[in-house]
Coordinates of all heavy atoms in Angstrom, one line a residue:
M19 N 108.5 82.8 10.3 CA 108.0 81.5 11.0 C 107.3 81.9 12.3 O 107.8 82.8 13.1 CB 109.3 80.7 11.3 CG 109.0 79.5 12.0 SD 110.5 78.4 12.5 CE 111.6 78.5 11.2
D20 N 106.2 81.4 12.4 CA 105.4 81.7 13.7 C 105.9 80.8 14.8 O 106.6 79.9 14.6 CB 103.8 81.5 13.4 CG 103.4 80.2 13.2 OD1 104.2 79.3 13.4 OD2 102.2 80.0 12.9
E21 N 105.4 81.2 16.0 CA 105.9 80.6 17.3 C 105.6 79.0 17.3 O 106.4 78.2 17.8 CB 105.4 81.3 18.6 CG 105.9 82.6 18.7 CD 105.0 83.7 18.3 OE1 103.8 83.4 18.4 OE2 105.4 84.8 18.2
A22 N 104.4 78.6 16.8 CA 104.1 77.2 16.8 C 105.1 76.4 16.1 O 105.5 75.3 16.5 CB 102.7 77.0 16.5
V23 N 105.4 76.8 14.9 CA 106.3 76.0 14.0 C 107.6 76.1 14.6 O 108.4 75.1 14.6 CB 106.3 76.7 12.6 CG1 107.4 76.0 11.8 CG2 105.0 76.5 11.9
A24 N 108.1 77.2 15.1 CA 109.5 77.2 15.8 C 109.5 76.2 16.9 O 110.5 75.6 17.2 CB 109.8 78.7 16.2
L25 N 108.5 76.2 17.7 CA 108.5 75.3 18.9 C 108.5 73.8 18.4 O 109.2 73.1 19.0 CB 107.2 75.5 19.7 CG 107.0 74.7 21.0 CD1 108.2 75.1 22.0 CD2 105.8 75.1 21.6
V26 N 107.8 73.5 17.4 CA 107.7 72.1 16.9 C 109.2 71.7 16.4 O 109.7 70.7 16.6 CB 106.7 71.9 15.8 CG1 107.0 70.6 15.0 CG2 105.4 72.0 16.3
L27 N 109.9 72.7 15.7 CA 111.2 72.5 15.2 C 112.2 72.4 16.3 O 113.2 71.6 16.3 CB 111.7 73.5 14.2 CG 110.9 73.5 12.8 CD1 111.3 74.7 12.0 CD2 111.0 72.3 12.2
A28 N 112.1 73.2 17.4 CA 113.0 73.3 18.4 C 112.9 72.1 19.5 O 113.9 71.8 20.2 CB 112.9 74.6 19.2
S29 N 111.8 71.6 19.6 CA 111.5 70.5 20.6 C 112.4 69.3 20.6 O 113.0 68.9 21.6 CB 110.0 70.0 20.5 OG 109.2 71.0 20.8
P30 N 112.7 68.7 19.3 CA 113.8 67.6 19.4 C 115.1 68.1 19.8 O 115.9 67.3 20.5 CB 113.7 67.1 17.9 CG 112.4 67.7 17.3 CD 112.1 68.9 18.1
V31 N 115.5 69.2 19.4 CA 116.9 69.8 19.8 C 116.9 69.9 21.3 O 117.9 69.5 22.0 CB 117.1 71.1 19.1 CG1 118.5 71.8 19.6 CG2 117.2 70.9 17.6
V32 N 115.9 70.5 21.9 CA 115.8 70.7 23.3 C 115.8 69.3 24.1 O 116.6 69.1 25.0 CB 114.6 71.5 23.8 CG1 114.5 71.5 25.3 CG2 114.7 73.0 23.2
A33 N 115.1 68.4 23.6 CA 115.0 67.0 24.2 C 116.4 66.3 24.1 O 116.8 65.7 25.0 CB 114.1 66.2 23.5
L34 N 117.1 66.4 22.9 CA 118.4 65.9 22.8 C 119.5 66.5 23.8 O 120.3 65.8 24.4 CB 118.9 66.0 21.3 CG 120.3 65.4 21.1 CD1 120.2 63.9 21.3 CD2 120.7 65.6 19.6
A35 N 119.3 67.8 23.9 CA 120.2 68.5 24.8 C 120.1 68.2 26.3 O 121.1 67.9 27.0 CB 120.1 70.1 24.6
L36 N 118.8 68.0 26.7 CA 118.5 67.6 28.0 C 119.0 66.2 28.3 O 119.5 65.8 29.3 CB 117.0 67.6 28.3 CG 116.5 69.0 28.4 CD1 114.8 69.0 28.6 CD2 117.0 69.8 29.6
W37 N 118.9 65.3 27.3 CA 119.3 63.9 27.4 C 120.8 63.9 27.6 O 121.4 63.2 28.4 CB 119.0 63.1 26.2 CG 119.6 61.7 26.2 CD1 119.0 60.6 26.8 CD2 120.7 61.3 25.5 NE1 120.0 59.6 26.6 CE2 121.0 60.0 25.7 CE3 121.6 62.0 24.6 CZ2 122.1 59.3 25.3 CZ3 122.7 61.3 24.1 CH2 122.8 59.9 24.5
A38 N 121.5 64.7 26.8 CA 123.0 64.8 26.9 C 123.5 65.3 28.2 O 124.5 64.9 28.8 CB 123.6 65.7 25.7
V39 N 122.8 66.4 28.7 CA 123.1 66.9 30.1 C 122.9 65.8 31.1 O 123.7 65.6 32.0 CB 122.3 68.2 30.4 CG1 122.3 68.5 31.8 CG2 122.7 69.3 29.5
A40 N 121.9 65.0 31.0 CA 121.6 63.9 32.0 C 122.8 62.8 31.9 O 123.2 62.4 32.9 CB 120.3 63.4 31.8
L41 N 123.1 62.5 30.7 CA 124.1 61.5 30.5 C 125.4 61.9 31.1 O 126.1 61.2 31.8 CB 124.2 61.0 29.0 CG 125.4 60.0 28.7 CD1 125.0 58.7 29.3 CD2 125.5 59.9 27.2
V42 N 125.9 63.2 30.7 CA 127.2 63.7 31.2 C 127.2 63.8 32.6 O 128.1 63.5 33.4 CB 127.5 65.1 30.4 CG1 128.8 65.6 31.0 CG2 127.8 64.7 28.9
G43 N 126.1 64.4 33.2 CA 126.0 64.6 34.6 C 125.9 63.2 35.3 O 126.6 63.1 36.4
G44 N 125.3 62.2 34.8 CA 125.4 60.8 35.4 C 126.8 60.3 35.4 O 127.3 59.7 36.3
F45 N 127.5 60.4 34.3 CA 128.9 60.0 34.2 C 129.8 60.7 35.2 O 130.6 60.1 35.9 CB 129.4 60.0 32.8 CG 130.8 59.4 32.6 CD1 130.9 58.0 32.8 CD2 131.9 60.2 32.4 CE1 132.2 57.4 32.6 CE2 133.1 59.6 32.3 CZ 133.3 58.2 32.4
S46 N 129.7 62.0 35.3 CA 130.5 62.9 36.2 C 130.2 62.4 37.7 O 131.1 62.3 38.5 CB 130.1 64.3 36.0 OG 130.6 64.7 34.8
N47 N 129.0 62.2 37.9 CA 128.5 61.7 39.3 C 129.2 60.3 39.6 O 129.7 60.2 40.7 CB 127.0 61.7 39.4 CG 126.6 61.3 40.7 OD1 127.2 61.7 41.8 ND2 125.3 60.6 40.9
G48 N 129.1 59.5 38.6 CA 129.7 58.1 38.8 C 131.3 58.2 39.0 O 131.8 57.5 39.8
E49 N 131.9 59.2 38.2 CA 133.2 59.3 38.3 C 133.7 59.8 39.8 O 134.6 59.3 40.3 CB 133.8 60.2 37.2 CG 135.3 60.4 37.1 CD 135.6 61.2 35.9 OE1 134.9 62.2 35.5 OE2 136.7 61.0 35.3
A50 N 133.0 60.8 40.1 CA 133.3 61.4 41.4 C 133.1 60.4 42.6 O 133.9 60.3 43.5 CB 132.5 62.6 41.7
R51 N 132.0 59.7 42.5 CA 131.7 58.6 43.6 C 132.7 57.5 43.5 O 133.1 56.9 44.6 CB 130.3 58.1 43.4 CG 129.2 59.1 43.8 CD 127.8 58.6 43.6 NE 126.8 59.3 44.1 CZ 126.3 59.3 45.3 NH1 126.7 58.4 46.1 NH2 125.3 60.1 45.7
T52 N 133.1 57.2 42.4 CA 134.1 56.1 42.2 C 135.5 56.5 42.9 O 136.1 55.8 43.5 CB 134.4 55.7 40.8 OG1 133.1 55.3 40.3 CG2 135.3 54.5 40.6
A53 N 135.9 57.7 42.6 CA 137.2 58.2 43.3 C 137.1 58.2 44.7 O 138.0 57.7 45.5 CB 137.4 59.7 42.8
V54 N 135.9 58.7 45.3 CA 135.8 58.8 46.7 C 135.6 57.2 47.3 O 136.3 56.9 48.3 CB 134.5 59.5 47.2 CG1 134.2 59.3 48.6 CG2 134.7 60.9 46.8
A55 N 134.9 56.4 46.5 CA 134.7 55.0 47.1 C 136.1 54.3 47.1 O 136.3 53.5 48.0 CB 133.8 54.3 46.1
S56 N 137.0 54.5 46.1 CA 138.2 53.8 46.1 C 139.1 54.1 47.3 O 139.6 53.2 48.0 CB 139.0 54.0 44.8 OG 139.4 55.4 44.8
E57 N 139.0 55.3 47.7 CA 139.9 55.8 48.9 C 139.3 55.4 50.1 O 140.0 54.8 51.1 CB 140.0 57.3 48.8 CG 141.0 57.9 49.8 CD 141.4 59.2 49.6 OE1 141.2 59.9 48.4 OE2 141.9 59.9 50.5
L58 N 137.9 55.5 50.2 CA 137.2 55.0 51.5 C 137.4 53.5 51.7 O 137.6 53.1 52.8 CB 135.7 55.5 51.5 CG 135.5 56.9 51.6 CD1 134.0 57.3 51.5 CD2 136.1 57.5 52.9
A59 N 137.3 52.7 50.6 CA 137.4 51.4 50.8 C 138.8 50.9 51.1 O 139.0 50.0 51.9 CB 136.9 50.7 49.4
A60 N 139.8 51.7 50.6 CA 141.2 51.3 50.9 C 141.4 51.7 52.4 O 142.1 50.9 53.1 CB 142.2 52.1 50.1
Q61 N 140.8 52.7 53.0 CA 140.9 53.1 54.4 C 140.4 52.0 55.1 O 141.0 51.6 56.2 CB 140.3 54.4 54.6 CG 141.1 55.6 54.1 CD 140.2 56.9 54.2 OE1 139.2 56.9 54.7 NE2 140.8 58.0 53.7
A62 N 139.2 51.5 54.9 CA 138.5 50.5 55.6 C 139.4 49.2 55.6 O 139.5 48.6 56.6 CB 137.1 50.3 55.2
A63 N 139.8 48.8 54.4 CA 140.5 47.6 54.3 C 141.9 47.6 55.0 O 142.3 46.6 55.5 CB 140.9 47.3 52.8
S64 N 142.5 48.7 55.1 CA 143.8 48.9 55.7 C 143.7 48.8 57.3 O 144.7 48.4 57.9 CB 144.5 50.2 55.4 OG 143.9 51.2 56.0
Q65 N 142.5 49.0 57.8 CA 142.4 48.9 59.2 C 141.7 47.5 59.6 O 141.6 47.3 60.8 CB 141.4 50.0 59.6 CG 142.1 51.4 59.6 CD 141.2 52.5 59.8 OE1 140.1 52.4 60.4 NE2 141.6 53.7 59.4
A66 N 141.3 46.7 58.7 CA 140.7 45.5 59.0 C 141.8 44.3 58.8 O 142.8 44.6 58.5 CB 139.5 45.2 58.1
T67 N 141.3 43.1 59.2 CA 142.3 42.0 59.2 C 141.6 40.9 58.2 O 140.4 40.7 58.2 CB 142.6 41.4 60.5 OG1 141.3 41.0 61.1 CG2 143.3 42.4 61.4
G68 N 142.5 40.2 57.5 CA 142.1 39.0 56.8 C 140.9 39.2 55.8 O 140.9 40.2 55.0
L69 N 140.0 38.3 55.9 CA 138.7 38.4 55.0 C 137.8 39.6 55.3 O 137.2 40.0 54.5 CB 137.9 37.1 55.2 CG 138.6 35.9 54.6 CD1 137.7 34.6 54.9 CD2 138.8 36.0 53.1
E70 N 138.0 40.1 56.6 CA 137.2 41.3 56.9 C 137.6 42.5 56.0 O 136.8 43.3 55.8 CB 137.4 41.6 58.4 CG 136.8 40.6 59.4 CD 137.3 41.0 60.8 OE1 137.9 41.9 61.0 OE2 136.8 40.1 61.7
A71 N 138.9 42.5 55.7 CA 139.4 43.6 54.9 C 138.7 43.6 53.5 O 138.2 44.7 53.1 CB 140.9 43.5 54.8
A72 N 138.7 42.5 52.9 CA 138.1 42.5 51.5 C 136.6 42.7 51.6 O 136.0 43.4 50.8 CB 138.3 41.0 50.9
D73 N 136.0 42.1 52.7 CA 134.5 42.4 52.8 C 134.2 43.9 53.0 O 133.3 44.4 52.5 CB 134.0 41.5 54.0 CG 132.5 41.5 54.2 OD1 131.8 41.3 53.1 OD2 132.0 41.7 55.2
A74 N 135.0 44.5 54.1 CA 134.7 45.8 54.3 C 134.9 46.8 53.1 O 134.1 47.6 52.8 CB 135.6 46.4 55.5
G75 N 136.0 46.6 52.4 CA 136.3 47.2 51.2 C 135.4 47.1 50.1 O 134.9 48.1 49.5
G76 N 134.9 45.9 49.9 CA 133.9 45.7 48.9 C 132.5 46.3 49.2 O 132.0 46.8 48.4
R77 N 132.2 46.2 50.4 CA 130.9 46.8 50.8 C 130.9 48.4 50.7 O 130.0 48.9 50.3 CB 130.6 46.5 52.3 CG 130.0 45.1 52.5 CD 129.6 45.0 53.9 NE 129.6 43.6 54.3 CZ 129.0 43.1 55.3 NH1 128.4 44.0 56.2 NH2 129.1 41.9 55.6
I78 N 132.0 49.0 51.1 CA 132.1 50.4 50.9 C 132.0 50.9 49.5 O 131.4 51.7 49.1 CB 133.3 50.9 51.7 CG1 133.1 50.8 53.2 CG2 133.6 52.4 51.3 CD1 134.1 51.2 54.1
A79 N 132.8 50.1 48.7 CA 132.9 50.5 47.2 C 131.5 50.4 46.6 O 131.1 51.2 45.8 CB 133.9 49.5 46.5
L80 N 130.8 49.3 46.8 CA 129.4 49.1 46.3 C 128.5 50.2 46.8 O 127.8 50.8 46.1 CB 129.0 47.7 46.6 CG 127.6 47.4 46.1 CD1 127.6 47.5 44.5 CD2 127.1 46.1 46.5
G81 N 128.5 50.4 48.2 CA 127.6 51.3 48.8 C 127.8 52.8 48.3 O 126.8 53.5 48.1
A82 N 129.1 53.2 48.2 CA 129.4 54.5 47.7 C 129.0 54.7 46.3 O 128.8 56.0 45.8 CB 130.8 54.9 47.9
T83 N 128.9 53.7 45.4 CA 128.7 53.9 44.0 C 127.4 53.4 43.5 O 127.0 53.6 42.4 CB 129.8 53.2 43.1 OG1 129.8 51.8 43.4 CG2 131.2 53.7 43.4
L84 N 126.6 52.9 44.4 CA 125.3 52.2 44.1 C 124.3 53.0 43.3 O 123.8 52.6 42.4 CB 124.7 51.7 45.4 CG 123.4 50.7 45.2 CD1 123.9 49.5 44.4 CD2 122.9 50.3 46.5
S85 N 124.2 54.3 43.8 CA 123.2 55.2 43.1 C 123.7 55.8 41.9 O 123.0 56.5 41.2 CB 122.8 56.2 44.1 OG 123.8 57.1 44.4
A86 N 125.1 55.6 41.5 CA 125.6 56.4 40.3 C 126.0 55.5 39.2 O 126.1 55.8 38.1 CB 126.7 57.2 40.8
C87 N 126.3 54.1 39.5 CA 126.8 53.3 38.6 C 125.8 52.1 38.3 O 125.1 51.6 39.1 CB 128.1 52.6 39.1 SG 129.3 53.8 39.6
N88 N 125.8 51.7 37.0 CA 125.0 50.6 36.6 C 125.5 49.4 37.2 O 124.8 48.3 37.5 CB 124.8 50.5 35.1 CG 124.1 51.6 34.5 OD1 123.4 52.4 35.2 ND2 124.2 51.9 33.3
E89 N 126.9 49.3 37.1 CA 127.6 48.1 37.6 C 129.0 48.5 38.3 O 129.6 49.5 37.9 CB 128.0 47.1 36.4 CG 128.7 45.9 36.8 CD 128.9 45.0 35.6 OE1 128.2 45.0 34.6 OE2 129.8 44.2 35.8
T90 N 129.3 47.9 39.4 CA 130.5 48.2 40.1 C 131.3 47.0 40.4 O 130.6 46.0 40.9 CB 130.1 48.9 41.5 OG1 129.4 50.1 41.2 CG2 131.4 49.2 42.3
N91 N 132.6 47.1 40.1 CA 133.5 46.0 40.5 C 134.6 46.6 41.3 O 135.0 47.8 41.1 CB 134.1 45.4 39.2 CG 133.0 44.6 38.3 OD1 132.2 43.8 38.9 ND2 133.0 45.0 37.1
S92 N 135.1 45.7 42.2 CA 136.3 46.2 43.0 C 137.3 45.0 43.2 O 136.9 43.9 43.2 CB 135.8 46.7 44.4 OG 135.2 45.7 45.1
D93 N 138.6 45.5 43.3 CA 139.7 44.6 43.4 C 140.5 45.1 44.6 O 141.0 46.1 44.6 CB 140.5 44.5 42.2 CG 141.6 43.5 42.3 OD1 141.6 42.5 43.0 OD2 142.8 43.8 41.7
I94 N 140.6 44.2 45.7 CA 141.3 44.7 46.9 C 142.6 43.9 47.0 O 142.6 42.7 47.1 CB 140.3 44.5 48.0 CG1 139.0 45.4 47.8 CG2 140.9 44.9 49.4 CD1 137.9 45.0 48.7
D95 N 143.6 44.8 47.4 CA 144.8 44.1 47.8 C 145.3 44.7 49.1 O 145.7 45.9 49.2 CB 146.0 44.4 46.7 CG 147.3 43.8 47.0 OD1 147.3 42.7 47.6 OD2 148.3 44.2 46.4
V96 N 145.4 43.8 50.1 CA 145.8 44.2 51.4 C 147.2 43.9 51.6 O 147.6 42.7 51.4 CB 144.9 43.7 52.6 CG1 145.4 44.0 54.0 CG2 143.5 44.0 52.4
I97 N 148.0 44.8 52.0 CA 149.5 44.5 52.1 C 149.9 44.5 53.7 O 149.9 45.7 54.3 CB 150.4 45.6 51.4 CG1 149.9 45.7 50.0 CG2 151.9 45.4 51.6 CD1 150.4 47.0 49.3
G98 N 149.8 43.4 54.3 CA 150.1 43.3 55.7 C 148.8 43.6 56.5 O 148.1 44.5 56.1
T99 N 148.5 42.9 57.4 CA 147.4 43.0 58.3 C 147.4 44.4 59.0 O 148.3 44.7 59.7 CB 147.2 41.9 59.3 OG1 147.1 40.7 58.5 CG2 146.0 42.1 60.1
G100 N 146.4 45.3 58.8 CA 146.3 46.5 59.5 C 147.4 47.4 59.1 O 147.8 48.3 60.0
Q101 N 148.0 47.3 57.9 CA 149.0 48.3 57.5 C 148.6 49.1 56.3 O 148.6 50.4 56.4 CB 150.3 47.5 57.2 CG 150.9 46.9 58.4 CD 152.1 46.1 58.2 OE1 152.6 46.1 57.1 NE2 152.5 45.3 59.1
S102 N 148.4 48.5 55.1 CA 148.1 49.3 54.0 C 147.2 48.5 53.0 O 147.3 47.1 53.1 CB 149.3 49.9 53.3 OG 150.1 48.8 52.7
A103 N 146.6 49.1 52.2 CA 145.7 48.6 51.2 C 145.5 49.4 49.9 O 145.5 50.6 50.1 CB 144.3 48.2 51.8
T104 N 145.2 48.7 48.8 CA 144.9 49.4 47.6 C 143.6 48.8 47.1 O 143.4 47.5 47.3 CB 145.9 49.3 46.5 OG1 146.2 47.9 46.2 CG2 147.2 49.9 46.9
V105 N 142.7 49.6 46.6 CA 141.4 49.1 46.1 C 141.2 49.8 44.8 O 141.3 51.1 44.8 CB 140.3 49.5 47.1 CG1 138.9 49.0 46.5 CG2 140.4 48.9 48.5
T106 N 140.9 49.0 43.8 CA 140.6 49.5 42.4 C 139.1 49.3 42.3 O 138.6 48.2 42.5 CB 141.4 48.9 41.4 OG1 142.8 49.1 41.6 CG2 141.0 49.4 40.0
V107 N 138.4 50.5 42.0 CA 136.9 50.4 41.8 C 136.6 50.7 40.4 O 137.1 51.8 39.9 CB 136.2 51.3 42.8 CG1 134.7 51.3 42.6 CG2 136.5 51.0 44.3
E108 N 135.8 50.0 39.7 CA 135.4 50.2 38.4 C 133.9 50.5 38.4 O 133.1 49.8 39.0 CB 135.6 48.9 37.5 CG 135.1 49.0 36.1 CD 135.4 47.8 35.3 OE1 136.2 46.9 35.8 OE2 134.8 47.6 34.2
C109 N 133.5 51.6 37.7 CA 132.1 52.0 37.6 C 131.7 52.1 36.1 O 132.4 52.5 35.4 CB 132.0 53.3 38.2 SG 130.4 54.2 38.0
D110 N 130.6 51.4 35.8 CA 130.0 51.4 34.5 C 128.8 52.2 34.5 O 127.8 52.0 35.3 CB 129.7 50.1 34.0 CG 129.2 50.1 32.5 OD1 128.1 50.6 32.3 OD2 129.9 49.5 31.7
V111 N 128.7 53.3 33.7 CA 127.5 54.3 33.7 C 127.1 54.2 32.2 O 127.8 54.8 31.3 CB 127.8 55.7 34.1 CG1 126.6 56.5 34.0 CG2 128.4 55.7 35.5
S112 N 126.0 53.5 31.9 CA 125.5 53.4 30.6 C 126.6 53.1 29.5 O 126.6 53.7 28.4 CB 124.8 54.7 30.2 OG 123.8 54.9 31.1
G113 N 127.4 52.2 29.7 CA 128.4 51.7 28.8 C 129.8 52.5 28.8 O 130.8 52.1 28.2
N114 N 129.9 53.5 29.6 CA 131.1 54.3 29.9 C 131.7 53.8 31.1 O 131.0 53.8 32.2 CB 130.7 55.8 30.0 CG 130.3 56.3 28.7 OD1 130.8 56.2 27.6 ND2 129.2 57.0 28.8
R115 N 133.0 53.4 31.2 CA 133.6 52.9 32.4 C 134.7 53.8 32.8 O 135.3 54.6 32.1 CB 134.3 51.6 32.1 CG 133.4 50.4 31.7 CD 134.0 49.1 31.6 NE 135.3 49.2 30.9 CZ 136.3 48.3 31.1 NH1 136.1 47.3 31.8 NH2 137.5 48.4 30.4
V116 N 134.8 53.9 34.2 CA 135.7 54.7 34.8 C 136.3 53.9 36.0 O 135.6 53.1 36.5 CB 135.2 56.1 35.2 CG1 134.2 55.9 36.4 CG2 136.4 56.9 35.8
C117 N 137.6 54.0 36.2 CA 138.4 53.2 37.2 C 139.3 54.1 38.1 O 139.9 55.0 37.4 CB 139.1 52.1 36.6 SG 138.1 50.8 35.7
F118 N 139.2 53.9 39.3 CA 140.1 54.6 40.3 C 140.7 53.7 41.2 O 140.0 52.7 41.5 CB 139.3 55.6 41.1 CG 139.1 57.0 40.4 CD1 138.0 57.1 39.5 CD2 139.9 58.0 40.6 CE1 137.8 58.3 38.8 CE2 139.7 59.3 39.9 CZ 138.7 59.3 39.1
T119 N 142.0 53.9 41.6 CA 142.6 53.1 42.6 C 142.8 54.0 43.8 O 143.3 55.1 43.7 CB 144.0 52.5 42.1 OG1 143.7 51.6 41.0 CG2 144.7 51.8 43.3
G120 N 142.4 53.4 45.0 CA 142.6 54.2 46.2 C 143.7 53.5 47.0 O 143.8 52.3 47.0
Y121 N 144.4 54.3 47.7 CA 145.5 53.7 48.6 C 145.3 54.2 50.0 O 145.0 55.4 50.2 CB 146.8 54.1 48.0 CG 147.9 53.8 49.0 CD1 148.5 52.5 49.1 CD2 148.5 54.7 49.9 CE1 149.5 52.2 50.1 CE2 149.5 54.5 50.8 CZ 150.0 53.1 50.8 OH 151.0 52.8 51.6
A122 N 145.6 53.4 51.0 CA 145.5 53.9 52.3 C 146.5 53.1 53.2 O 146.8 51.9 53.0 CB 144.2 53.7 52.9
Q123 N 147.1 53.8 54.2 CA 148.1 53.1 55.0 C 147.7 53.7 56.5 O 147.2 54.8 56.6 CB 149.5 53.3 54.7 CG 149.9 54.8 54.9 CD 151.4 55.0 54.4 OE1 151.9 54.3 53.6 NE2 152.1 56.0 55.0
T124 N 148.0 52.8 57.5 CA 147.6 53.2 58.8 C 148.7 54.0 59.6 O 148.4 54.9 60.3 CB 147.2 52.0 59.7 OG1 148.3 51.0 59.7 CG2 146.0 51.3 59.2
R125 N 150.0 53.6 59.3 CA 151.0 54.4 60.0 C 152.1 54.7 59.0 O 152.8 53.9 58.5 CB 151.6 53.4 61.1 CG 150.7 53.3 62.2 CD 151.4 52.7 63.4 NE 150.4 52.4 64.5 CZ 150.2 51.4 65.1 NH1 151.1 50.3 64.7 NH2 149.3 51.2 66.0
P126 N 152.5 55.9 58.9 CA 151.6 57.1 59.2 C 150.3 57.1 58.5 O 150.4 56.7 57.3 CB 152.5 58.3 58.9 CG 153.4 57.8 57.9 CD 153.7 56.4 58.0
A127 N 149.2 57.6 59.0 CA 148.0 57.6 58.3 C 148.1 58.4 57.1 O 148.5 59.7 57.1 CB 146.9 58.1 59.2
A128 N 147.7 57.9 55.9 CA 147.7 58.6 54.7 C 146.8 57.9 53.7 O 146.6 56.6 53.8 CB 149.1 58.6 54.1
S129 N 146.1 58.6 52.9 CA 145.3 57.9 51.8 C 145.3 59.0 50.6 O 145.4 60.1 50.7 CB 143.9 57.7 52.3 OG 143.3 58.9 52.7
A130 N 145.0 58.3 49.4 CA 144.9 59.1 48.2 C 144.1 58.2 47.2 O 143.8 57.0 47.4 CB 146.2 59.4 47.6
N131 N 143.7 58.8 46.0 CA 143.1 58.1 44.9 C 143.7 58.7 43.6 O 144.1 59.8 43.6 CB 141.6 58.1 45.0 CG 141.1 59.4 44.8 OD1 141.2 60.0 43.7 ND2 140.5 60.0 45.8
A132 N 143.7 57.8 42.6 CA 144.1 58.2 41.2 C 143.3 57.5 40.2 O 143.0 56.2 40.4 CB 145.6 57.9 41.1
R133 N 143.0 58.2 39.1 CA 142.2 57.5 38.0 C 143.3 56.6 37.3 O 144.5 57.0 37.0 CB 141.8 58.6 37.1 CG 140.9 58.0 36.0 CD 140.2 59.0 35.2 NE 139.4 58.3 34.3 CZ 138.4 59.0 33.6 NH1 138.2 60.3 33.7 NH2 137.7 58.3 32.7
V134 N 142.8 55.5 36.9 CA 143.6 54.5 36.3 C 143.0 53.9 35.0 O 141.8 54.1 34.9 CB 144.1 53.3 37.2 CG1 145.0 53.8 38.3 CG2 142.8 52.6 37.7
A135 N 143.6 53.2 34.2 CA 143.1 52.6 33.1 C 142.2 51.3 33.6 O 142.7 50.7 34.4 CB 144.1 52.1 32.1
C136 N 141.0 51.2 33.0 CA 140.2 50.0 33.5 C 140.8 48.8 32.8 O 141.4 48.8 31.7 CB 138.8 50.3 32.9 SG 138.0 51.6 33.8
P137 N 140.6 47.6 33.5 CA 141.1 46.4 33.0 C 140.4 46.1 31.6 O 139.2 46.4 31.5 CB 140.7 45.4 34.0 CG 140.4 46.2 35.3 CD 140.0 47.6 34.7
G138 N 141.2 45.6 30.7 CA 140.6 45.3 29.4 C 140.4 46.5 28.4 O 139.7 46.3 27.4
S139 N 140.9 47.7 28.8 CA 140.6 48.9 28.0 C 141.8 49.0 27.0 O 142.9 48.6 27.2 CB 140.6 50.1 28.9 OG 139.4 50.1 29.7

């Protein structure tokens, strides 16, 4: 087989491989950003009061995932004003969904995140 024929046969395989790398890379990026967003949003919500907590958490969740997710949803639960908060962030990347819940408390200061099942999954 000469090089021209080999190149013609290999081109679709190379194109498919590059597409798969981009898709997996995009999903991994969305997953990592969602994990960080959930924790940062919970930290902001735990330090704010009332409606400001939900607004701050929602903005941070959206801002941190904007470049990686096709669609982002967040659910914020503030437990006591200025005490603790949990934020669940859902990221959709080309039909693949990932969800993380972030937790933060002000005293003693602590925060974490964990991957959770997405609603309706």
